[in-house]
Each structure stands twice: as C-alpha cells, then as structure tokens.
C-alpha cells in the first residue's frame, strides 16, 4: 500500500508543471559544474517524501532553508580556510529561497556556491604550491590555529594568505621532525598538494549533488539520508557484507585516512599488522611506487586499497598513538574476498578469581545484528543470523564449558536488524513484549518474542559503550527492563528511530521511467537507459518513518540506555551521540507495555556499584584510563599548535615518554616485559580492562544472587 501511495505522489509530481530553474550564476576562473534534469527530478521527489512521510511531518519553509544553507557552507568549509567574508555575504541572497528552489527542482544556488568553493580551493592550492619552497624560520615562536570553526570569516585576502602560509609551515615542520631532509620534505609536500589539485578535476555533478542532499536531509534529521546511484550501490554492497580488499573500515579524519575497524576474518585481521586508529598515509600496488594519499578523497583512497582478491597491496602506516611526524611502518597484505556474514558472534571463556573462588564466565561478542534475509526467504534452513549463532554459542557455553554466567558484549555494535534484536532478547526471557514502535500516525505496535522458553536463565551481563546504538539499545533496554541482567559500560548512542530504505526507481512505472530518461537525455526517445547504455538510476533514500520505545514506555532516542554500573567513556560524549545532533528527534514516552519482569535487581545495584568503586580506587588500569581520557579531552580542546620546531618536538617527546611510561607500568603490573619507543605492542598483549572489570562485576552478581545466600531476587524465573 505504501509503495502504491508513494507511486501516485511521485507520478503526480513528475507530471505537474514545474517552475523553470533560474539561470545559474557563472563563476569565472573555474569549469562550472551544473546539475542535470535527473537531479532536479530527484530533489523534487525527496521534498515530497520528506514532507509526506518523514516522522517529523515537517514542511520545508524559510527557517529550514536557512538551516540548510548554514549546514551546506559548514560542510564545505568547516574550519573557514577557503571562503572570505565577502563570499558568505554573497551567499546570503539564497538564505530563504532554497525551500522553494528544491520544491521546484532548482539546484542553481547550491551548485553556484560549490563552484565558488571550487575556485577558492584551487586558488589556495596554487598559493600553497608557491609557498612550499619559501624560507621558514623553524626557531621562531609562531602559532598555527588549525581549528577556526568558531572564529569569524576572514575579511581580507592577506588574512587567509597568512593562515595558509602557516599551514604550509606546519606541514613542513611535521616532516622535519620526522627526520627527513628539507629537500625531500619540499618534494613530498609538492606532490601532496598537486595530488589534491588533481582530485578537484575529478569532481562531478553527482559528487556536488550528494553534498547538497546531505546538507538537506541531515537538516531534517540525522538518519534521513539520500544516496546518489554510486553511493546507493556502495551502501547496498555494505548491507550485503561482501567486497574484495584488506578487510578494514576506513574513515577520513583531518585529511588523514584512518582505520575505524578491522574486520574479523580479513587479511588485516589475520596479519595482526593493523589496528583501529592506525593511519594510512601511502599506498602502493604490488611492488610499485608508493602514492602519498594524505588529503585525498576517501573514495579515491579506498579504491587504491581495495582490489581483486589474490593481488598484493602495500601500505605506509602511522600506528595509533604515534604522532603524524613519526616514521611510517610499511606492511603488505594480500587482498581477499571479505564476506561480512563471517563477522559473526564469537565466544570466549575466562575464569576470574573473586574472594578466593574461581568463576567461569562466557563472553559473547556480538558485532552487529545481522541476518541473511535472502537465504531465509529462499527457504535455506541453515541461513545465518545473530540469534542462530548466539543460540549455538550459548549451548556450547552451557553444556560444554559449564560457565557460571554469560556476558553479551555489544560495545561498538551500531545495530542492524530489528527482528534480530527481538529474537536475541527472546533467548534470555520467556514470551513477552520486547520493543514498541510508533509510526507517523502515532499508532503503537508492540513487537513481542513469541517463542516460549529461554536458552540461558543464569546470571547475565551486557556490556555497552557510546557506540552501541539502535538494535543494541533495544536489546540492552529490554534486558534492563525485565531485570534479566546487569548493564555495564557507558551511556549508549541514543538512536531510537526506524528508517525505511526507498529505492526511487521502484516507485516509477516503466512508462514514466521513459519520460525520466527523456528528461535526462533529450535524444533518448523510447529507451529507459542513459547515453552510455546503463539504466537510468535515481538513487535511494533512507527515510525516518518510525520511532521505537522500550517496554517500560521510555524512548531510547536522545538518551540511550544508562548502564547500571558505569565506566568512564573512551569516546567524547559531547561529540558522539544522538544528543549531539542538532536535528535529532527529542526524547519522549509512550504508555508502558504489558510485560512482567523476571527479577528485581534494583536492591543489588548499590552493592554492585560499591564493590566496583572499591576496586577502581585501587586499580592502576582505572587510574591510567582516567588519565588517558583527561589527556584526550585536553588535546580535544586545543585549537592551535606551536610552529617552533624545538618546542613542538619537546612537546611530542614528552607526550610519547609519558604515554610509554604509563604503558610500561601497566605491563609490569601484569608481568609483561617493557616496550621501547617505536615498538608495536602485540595484539594478544593488549589488555581489555573494561572487560576484565565487567567480569568481576559478574562474579559479584553471582554471589549476590546465589539463592543460598540472599533472597534479593524476588520474582520467579530469575537466575537458577
């Protein structure tokens, strides 16, 4: 029914008379990028979908237009390196017109803004290339302000020239501290800036359109997103969990490609040569020459790293924790086909001592709420899913390993299948409600676990952190509401919204698609393909259409799940999380569902917290963690850095010495040999302090819920 309704609206909008787009102002000195008719069509339809089906029920108006403009400019120039105050004043003419323009399919204004940005970008790259060979006094007490986000726009060309000259000096002093000769540093920087220039020549109107649509949709809410055809394909490949490469998720941070996650089972994981936080600064194909990729677009960098299975790629790595000026480590990997379904739940068993008694605890690491829906729909009885995998692991832990308790580790689990979150909860509770979903009509549907019985009825813990989101929050919230287990960690992300993926092509019947093809290519008369013979693609939108709630009626939106026993957050709470998103939906409540808790753990929590805090007061790991977090917050608040070579080197040497001293004190406390500056710590020697302390909390829980010692668990069906 939804598809039919959407199709009617889509068809009507296409056939309706539309105002002709205004002539796009031309920017001198740059090849102007312009939108095509397909993009004009898509933006009109996205406006219709958002206004009619987004959960916010929002109508585009002048206020929204103003927010879109601000976000678009910020996305293009977040640290105010490129635009002058005069450019920003020029853009003010569009502040209250983008809503009407988008409704009419007119993209001339944001494309004009981008062309101005492109001109400025090229101008400043040309300027840096001139400055690279200049003479610099690295003994001068000078400062480079690298974060100008909250500073006023520069009013003069000379002001921006000074900023860029200092940026060049900063790049040079970084390379100089690393120990390379000045001539080589000049060569390296020249190549880097020339590479950046070459990337601008590859920008096309689909890239620009994606930037515009990002600013538009994310102004509406953080999880309503449009994907142009290329990005839609990439998104769907990610959902299919298969690609060929090294097996690592990558992100761009301050122009540096960074390892965000190493995927279990892939070449990077098996080699133990890469870790989250490592930065990739160079790539070589096989035994070929290295290319410096600092400042490259992420898709271009990724395309160099990915490749056919069986081929070799070499990487220059700056390991996590080391300064960018450190000497890179060169590693080589053989690419493989990475099947993301293999990134499954895994178990480990650990024994902890508490008051002289051993406790055996099973840990199940759940990286995502996954399911092979294609295999399931095809009737494959052995299709893969989170719940199926965890059920088998529980069976082994219970019957073979004979564990005393189980901990579900959902740290950094960003969610996935709602169905799997419900089914997984059902392994630990008998039949009953798990999550409530409210749609745009304010209708509330209660989703229940309908399978009788439980796979594990013993002591249970759930580990979460700031990156635990969506389906993870449904599971953790249900376990907490039912009194079924103890939640340990930090406040979760707070994503309590539901998105539906809408392929815009599926809303179009064949006859209408012919009209769209004719709009895109005037010479196409009867086919549904573009000039190159490929099918006309419109992309897809992930539209926020519902909100989910815990069985106690509380939304996880914005607030997330608050753990029973809390740890300091490894991630900055003021920068990561739904409550940091200005367009996020607010927290609210719905009526409590008809559920019956299996136990009341409330009386236990003060004692669990007390014992936890007593251990922490004596823990070197805990003190080190707190110091690391404090140091990170201090660095996070810095917006400038010295350009004096001796001072910069002294600061970095001091930080490295301080960090190394803390590491070796921790290693000594665990009987491990010390490491020297530059050594890469073996993965198996890394200690997961938060996991270790969580197991101690579980040992406390076992003792406190032992029916021979306490009657605190008052409801039937608890731990036995």
């Amino acid at each position: 029914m939804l598809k039919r309704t959407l199709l009617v609206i889509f068809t009507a909008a296409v056939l309706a008379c539309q105002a002709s787009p205004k002539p796009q102002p031309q920017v001198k000195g740059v090849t102007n990028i312009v939108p095509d008719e397909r993009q004009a069509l898509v933006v009109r339809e996205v406006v219709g979908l958002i206004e009619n089906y987004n959960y916010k029920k929002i109508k585009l108006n002048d206020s929204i237009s103003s927010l879109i403009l601000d976000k678009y400019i910020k996305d293009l120039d977040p640290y105010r390196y490129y635009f002058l105050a005069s450019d920003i004043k020029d853009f003010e003419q569009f502040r209250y017109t983008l809503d009407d323009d988008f409704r009419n399919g007119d993209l001339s204004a944001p494309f004009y803004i981008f062309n101005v940005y492109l001109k400025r970008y090229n101008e400043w790259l040309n300027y840096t290339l001139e400055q690279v060979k200049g003479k610099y006094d690295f003994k001068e007490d000078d400062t480079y302000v690298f974060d100008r986000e909250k500073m006023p726009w520069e009013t003069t060309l000379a002001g921006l020239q000074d900023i860029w000259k200092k940026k060049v000096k900063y790049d040079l002093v970084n390379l100089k501290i690393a120990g390379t000769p000045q001539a080589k540093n000049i060569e390296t920087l020249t190549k880097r800036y020339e590479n950046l220039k070459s990337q601008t020549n590859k920008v096309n109107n689909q890239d620009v359109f994606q930037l515009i649509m990002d600013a538009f949709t994310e102004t509406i809410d953080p999880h309503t997103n449009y994907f142009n055809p290329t990005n839609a394909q990439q998104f769907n490949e990610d959902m299919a969990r298969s690609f060929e490469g090294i097996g690592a998720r990558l992100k761009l941070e301050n122009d540096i490609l960074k390892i965000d996650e190493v995927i279990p089972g892939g070449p990077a994981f098996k080699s133990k040569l890469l870790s989250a936080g490592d930065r990739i600064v160079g790539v070589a194909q096989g035994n070929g020459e290295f290319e410096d990729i600092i400042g490259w677009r992420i898709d271009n960098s990724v395309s160099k790293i990915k490749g056919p299975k069986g081929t070799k790629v070499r990487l220059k790595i700056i390991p996590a924790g080391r300064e960018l000026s450190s000497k890179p480590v060169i590693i080589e990997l053989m690419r493989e086909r990475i099947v993301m379904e293999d990134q499954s739940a895994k178990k480990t068993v650990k024994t902890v001592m508490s008051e002289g008694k051993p406790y055996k605890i099973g840990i199940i690491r759940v990286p995502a709420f996954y399911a092979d829906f294609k295999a399931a729909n095809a009737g494959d009885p052995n299709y893969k899913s989170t719940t199926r995998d965890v059920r088998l692991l529980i069976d082994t832990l219970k019957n073979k390993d004979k564990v005393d308790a189980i901990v579900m580790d959902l740290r950094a689990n960003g969610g996935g299948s709602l169905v799997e979150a419900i089914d997984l909860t059902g392994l630990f509770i008998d039949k009953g409600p798990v999550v409530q979903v409210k749609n745009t009509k304010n209708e509330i549907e209660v989703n229940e676990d309908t399978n009788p019985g439980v796979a594990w009825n013993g002591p249970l813990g759930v580990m979460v952190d700031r990156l635990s989101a969506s389906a993870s929050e449904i599971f953790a919230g249900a376990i907490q509401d039912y009194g079924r287990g103890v939640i340990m960690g930090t406040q979760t992300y707070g994503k309590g919204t539901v998105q539906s993926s809408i392929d815009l092509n599926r809303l179009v019947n064949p006859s209408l698609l012919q009209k769209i093809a004719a709009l895109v290519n005037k010479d196409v008369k009867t086919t549904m393909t573009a000039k190159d013979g490929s099918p006309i693609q419109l992309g897809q939108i992930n539209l926020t259409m519902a909100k989910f709630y815990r069985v106690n009626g509380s939304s996880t939106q914005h607030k997330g799940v608050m753990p029973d026993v809390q740890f300091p957050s490894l991630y900055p709470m003021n920068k990561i999380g739904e409550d940091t998103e200005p367009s996020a939906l607010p927290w609210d409540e719905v009526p409590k569902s008809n559920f019956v808790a299996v136990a009341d753990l409330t009386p236990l929590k003060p004692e669990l917290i007390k014992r936890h805090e007593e251990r922490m007061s004596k823990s070197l790991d805990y003190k080190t963690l707190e110091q690391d977090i404090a140091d990170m917050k201090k660095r996070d608040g810095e917006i400038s850095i010295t350009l004096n070579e001796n001072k910069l080197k002294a600061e970095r040497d001091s930080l490295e010495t301080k960090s190394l001293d803390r590491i070796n004190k921790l290693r000594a406390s665990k009987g491990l040999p010390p490491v020297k500056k530059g050594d890469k710590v073996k993965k198996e020697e890394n200690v997961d302090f938060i996991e270790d302390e969580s197991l101690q909390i579980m040992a406390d829980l076992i003792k406190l819920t032992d029916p021979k010692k306490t009657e605190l668990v008052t409801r039937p069906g608890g731990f036995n």
Side-chain angles (χ1 to χ4, degrees):
M1 181 63 189
L2 174 62
K3 179 180 176 182
R4 183 180 299 172
T5 306
L6 291 174
L7 178 59
V8 170
I9 290 175
F10 192 95
T11 303
V14 171
L15 298 180
C17 292
Q18 301 292 340
S20 299
K22 298 184 290 288
Q24 181 173 313
Q26 295 296 292
V27 178
K28 293 181 180 179
V30 67
T31 301
N32 281 251
I33 302 175
V34 297
D36 59 38
E37 290 88 346
R38 171 175 44 184
Q39 292 160 350
L41 175 66
V42 168
V43 73
R44 289 201 301 265
E45 300 320 314
V46 170
V47 169
L49 289 169
I50 285 174
E51 291 190 330
N52 288 285
Y53 295 100
N54 185 270
Y55 188 86
K56 280 188 173 181
K57 303 175 183 174
I58 198 167
K59 296 293 180 184
L60 262 65
N61 54 28
D62 288 355
S63 296
I64 299 296
S65 173
S66 180
L67 293 173
I68 294 171
L69 178 66
D70 287 338
K71 178 157 179 51
Y72 183 48
I73 292 172
K74 184 176 180 179
D75 289 350
L76 289 174
D77 191 3
Y79 300 114
R80 306 190 173 192
Y81 288 150
Y82 301 100
F83 291 133
L84 286 164
S86 56
D87 295 322
I88 302 304
K89 184 178 180 181
D90 176 35
F91 302 154
E92 281 296 311
Q93 63 182 300
F94 308 120
R95 180 162 296 280
Y96 301 113
T97 61
L98 293 179
D99 54 326
D100 296 323
D101 288 347
F102 286 1
R103 191 173 279 108
N104 292 325
D106 187 345
L107 293 162
S108 58
F111 268 83
Y112 164 71
I113 291 172
F114 183 85
N115 288 330
V116 173
Y117 165 76
L118 195 59
K119 179 181 180 180
R120 298 285 180 257
Y121 187 88
N122 281 314
E123 287 173 346
W124 291 117
L125 282 179
N126 289 334
Y127 181 77
T128 56
L129 283 166
E130 293 171 2
Q131 300 304 309
V132 169
K133 296 178 182 178
K135 292 184 178 181
Y136 294 92
D137 181 2
F138 295 112
K139 294 180 180 180
E140 180 184 12
D141 283 330
D142 205 359
T143 300
Y144 168 52
V145 180
F146 55 84
D147 185 348
R148 303 185 64 257
E149 183 178 357
K150 296 180 181 178
M151 299 181 72
W153 296 96
E154 277 293 333
T155 58
T156 66
L157 190 65
L160 273 183
Q161 285 176 338
D162 182 60
I163 291 167
W164 277 96
K165 193 168 183 178
K166 287 180 178 178
K167 186 181 187 309
V168 173
K169 186 176 180 180
Y170 174 69
D171 288 342
L172 285 169
V173 76
N174 260 308
L175 293 170
K176 194 170 187 291
I177 288 175
T180 49
Q182 185 69 357
K184 180 64 176 176
N185 295 341
I186 291 172
E187 180 187 344
T188 298
L189 270 193
T190 300
K191 285 183 178 179
R192 183 184 301 175
Y193 297 150
E194 286 175 344
N195 278 334
L196 291 174
K197 273 200 74 174
S198 71
Q199 299 306 311
T200 65
N201 298 326
K202 299 174 184 177
V203 176
N204 57 39
N205 70 349
Q206 285 285 50
D207 296 324
V208 181
F209 185 55
Q210 184 67 66
L211 288 169
I212 295 166
M213 295 302 286
D214 286 346
F216 171 24
T217 59
E218 289 170 20
T219 296
I220 305 303
D221 82 78
H223 307 291
T224 287
N225 303 111
Y226 168 79
F227 298 101
N228 67 30
T230 299
N231 291 341
Q233 181 182 2
Q234 182 62 51
F235 174 82
N236 292 322
E237 285 177 356
D238 289 343
M239 292 296 288
R241 295 174 176 262
S242 66
F243 63 92
E244 293 181 350
I246 66 170
R249 294 189 188 279
L250 306 171
K251 65 179 179 181
L252 203 61
E253 192 173 276
N254 296 325
D255 286 339
I256 307 295
L257 195 66
K258 191 173 183 180
I259 304 290
D260 193 35
E261 177 191 357
V262 176
I263 298 170
F269 179 84
K270 289 186 285 190
S271 73
K272 299 182 180 179
L273 296 173
L274 282 177
S275 302
D278 290 350
R279 289 146 295 172
I280 303 175
V281 296
V283 183
Q285 307 303 319
N287 296 319
E289 293 293 320
F290 274 99
E291 293 182 86
D292 183 330
I293 64 168
I294 292 178
W296 281 26
R297 287 172 40 151
I298 189 168
D299 55 345
N300 290 332
S301 298
V302 169
S303 69
K304 293 288 184 181
I305 296 168
K306 291 172 72 174
K309 64 179 180 180
T311 59
K312 183 171 72 175
V313 63
R314 291 187 297 140
L315 307 175
K316 279 187 179 179
I317 303 296
I318 304 291
R322 296 192 195 174
E323 296 297 331
L324 196 59
S325 53
S326 303
K327 184 178 180 180
V329 176
I330 296 177
I331 68 170
E332 64 177 54
L333 298 168
M334 196 68 71
R335 298 177 177 109
E336 297 177 10
R337 182 167 182 78
I338 314 299
V339 181
M340 296 299 292
E341 286 86 352
D342 288 344
Q343 187 187 351
S344 307
K346 301 253 185 326
K347 78 171 180 73
T348 54
V349 178
K350 291 191 175 182
T351 300
V352 296
M353 298 297 296
S354 182
E355 297 179 355
K357 183 179 177 181
Y359 293 92
K360 207 177 199 183
I361 301 174
I363 306 157
I364 300 178
R365 167 80 177 123
V366 181
F369 287 82
Y370 52 87
D372 189 345
F373 293 113
K374 184 176 180 180
N377 292 333
D380 183 352
N382 298 314
Y383 74 90
K384 198 168 184 58
S385 78
T386 299
T387 305
R388 284 168 166 250
D389 289 345
V390 171
R391 184 187 292 276
L392 291 173
L393 296 174
I394 289 174
D395 186 58
T396 304
L397 290 170
K398 183 168 60 175
N399 299 312
K400 181 180 178 182
D401 299 314
K402 307 289 185 182
V403 297
D404 299 303
I406 288 177
V407 172
M408 301 294 293
D409 186 352
L410 302 185
R411 290 176 296 173
N413 183 325
S417 167
L418 176 66
V419 172
E420 285 303 309
I422 296 167
D423 290 346
L424 188 67
T425 305
L427 298 182
F428 302 99
I429 65 168
D430 205 346
K431 295 186 295 183
V434 173
V435 64
Q436 305 184 80
V437 179
K438 183 169 71 172
N439 63 22
T440 55
K441 297 179 180 178
N442 292 323
E443 299 168 336
I444 299 171
E445 178 184 355
V446 179
N447 291 296
E448 301 191 5
D449 164 45
T450 57
N451 297 316
V454 297
W456 174 256
N457 62 3
L460 177 67
V462 182
M463 296 173 63
V464 294
D465 64 10
R466 191 59 164 173
L467 300 184
S468 303
S470 197
S472 291
E473 295 172 296
I474 292 173
F475 176 82
I479 294 299
Q480 191 175 57
D481 292 341
Y482 272 91
R484 181 59 191 86
V486 174
I487 313 301
M488 304 167 288
T490 57
Q491 181 183 7
T492 59
Y493 191 90
K495 180 186 178 295
T497 56
V498 183
Q499 286 71 43
S500 294
S501 293
I502 301 170
D503 181 349
L504 296 179
N505 278 66
R506 291 183 177 273
L507 301 182
V508 184
N509 60 47
S511 61
L512 186 55
L513 197 55
Q514 292 178 12
K515 293 183 175 68
I516 295 170
L519 284 171
V520 177
N521 303 290
K522 306 297 185 186
D523 56 334
V524 177
K525 297 179 180 179
T526 58
T527 70
M528 291 178 283
T529 59
K531 291 179 181 179
D532 63 0
S534 61
I536 287 290
Q537 295 294 329
L538 304 177
Q540 73 182 48
I541 183 169
N542 286 1
L543 193 65
T544 299
M545 300 178 74
K547 201 172 179 182
F548 58 73
Y549 299 79
R550 294 165 62 157
V551 292
N552 67 3
S554 172
S555 171
T556 60
Q557 174 65 14
H558 221 269
K559 290 188 177 183
V561 175
M562 193 63 71
D564 301 310
V565 182
Q566 295 191 45
F567 289 80
S569 177
L570 296 171
Y571 305 98
M573 302 288 281
N574 63 334
K575 293 189 174 181
I576 297 174
E578 193 80 357
D579 55 2
T580 68
E581 297 285 353
S583 61
L585 285 161
W587 176 89
D588 64 342
E589 293 179 288
V590 297
K592 173 183 174 182
S593 67
N594 184 25
F595 80 101
V596 178
V598 300
D600 182 8
L601 300 182
T602 305
L604 300 180
K605 293 176 186 178
E607 182 63 22
L608 290 173
I609 294 169
K610 177 186 173 184
R611 296 185 184 193
H612 164 67
E613 290 177 346
E614 286 175 352
R615 282 190 296 271
M616 296 305 91
S617 66
K618 304 171 187 175
S619 169
L620 179 60
D621 289 275
Y622 188 76
K623 290 175 183 175
T624 301
L625 174 64
E626 287 191 312
Q627 187 59 56
D628 286 342
I629 292 171
D631 289 348
M632 183 173 61
K633 284 182 178 178
K634 182 182 177 183
R635 289 195 298 270
D636 229 24
E638 294 173 351
I639 64 170
S640 63
I641 193 165
T642 180
L643 295 177
N644 181 291
E645 178 187 358
N646 293 331
K647 287 184 178 180
L648 184 60
K649 189 174 187 306
E651 285 178 11
R652 292 184 175 171
D653 286 346
S654 175
L655 285 172
E656 284 190 8
T657 300
K658 187 178 177 182
S659 175
L660 190 63
D661 181 58
R662 287 210 295 261
I663 289 170
N664 281 331
K665 283 181 179 177
L666 282 174
R667 290 175 67 83
S669 71
K670 293 170 173 52
L672 294 170
V675 292
K676 300 187 297 293
K677 181 180 177 180
D679 288 348
K680 190 171 173 64
V681 178
K682 295 178 182 177
K683 190 172 182 179
E684 58 269 22
E685 291 181 350
N686 288 326
V687 176
D688 188 343
F689 158 70
I690 293 176
E691 179 185 279
D692 290 346
E693 171 56 20
S694 296
L695 300 187
Q696 290 291 338
I697 295 168
M698 291 306 299
D700 291 338
L701 179 65
I702 294 167
K703 288 180 286 188
L704 291 173
T705 55
D706 186 339
K708 296 177 182 178
K709 294 183 179 180
T710 181
E711 297 300 325
L712 287 176
V713 179
T714 58
R715 296 181 187 272
F719 310 139
N720 46 58

